[in-house]
Amino acid sequence: MIENFLYAGAELDSASSNLLKKYHIDGWRFYGHHMTIHFGAITLPQYIEDWLLKNEGKQFPLTIIAIGKSEKACAVQVEIDDIPCSNNLRHITVSVAPNGKPVDSNNIIDWHNIQPFTVLTTIKIYKKQ
């Protein structure tokens, strides 16, 4: 069991995060730093925990295939089968409206395909302090 688990993600390197800035919406808060694998320890599925323990610190490329926007969030859709994810749609939150939260990107339904490109990530486990 991962002690004090808060969340796990595929964290973008700085060059990859900079690639997402072209999708940032002016006046919103920029995030663009990770794809959440799982948030919250209470329901951490065993298969995700096992995968995280085996792959923490390893690098994985992610292919960005679409952009999505709502009134509260903007995100890019990720296409990858090698990383488990508890979200229904694998994505990276790019920016959030002043009245929004990063979790709002889970509710985006308006997605548009873009020219695919690759970002580089490292698997990280974040723990409660």
Side-chain angles (χ1 to χ4, degrees), residues 15 18 30 55 68 78 85:
N18 284 336
F30 179 76
N55 291 287
V78 173
C85 183

Side-chain angles (χ1 to χ4, degrees), residues 37-49:
I37 294 171
H38 187 82
F39 185 85
I42 295 173
T43 60
L44 180 62
Q46 190 63 51
Y47 77 95
I48 291 180
E49 182 174 359

Side-chain angles (χ1 to χ4, degrees), residues 34-100:
H34 76 278
M35 178 191 79
T36 300
I37 294 171
H38 187 82
F39 185 85
I42 295 173
T43 60
L44 180 62
Q46 190 63 51
Y47 77 95
I48 291 180
E49 182 174 359
D50 292 344
W51 189 92
L52 288 169
L53 291 170
K54 179 180 171 186
N55 291 287
E56 183 180 18
K58 291 184 181 176
Q59 292 187 329
F60 286 83
L62 303 179
T63 302
I64 307 301
I65 61 167
I67 181 81
K69 295 177 186 174
S70 71
E71 293 179 3
K72 293 187 176 184
C74 173
V76 290
Q77 186 178 344
V78 173
E79 179 180 73
I80 188 165
D81 296 325
D82 297 341
I83 299 176
C85 183
S86 58
N87 287 329
N88 290 333
L89 183 71
R90 291 173 170 89
H91 68 277
I92 299 167
T93 301
V94 174
S95 55
V96 175
N99 66 336

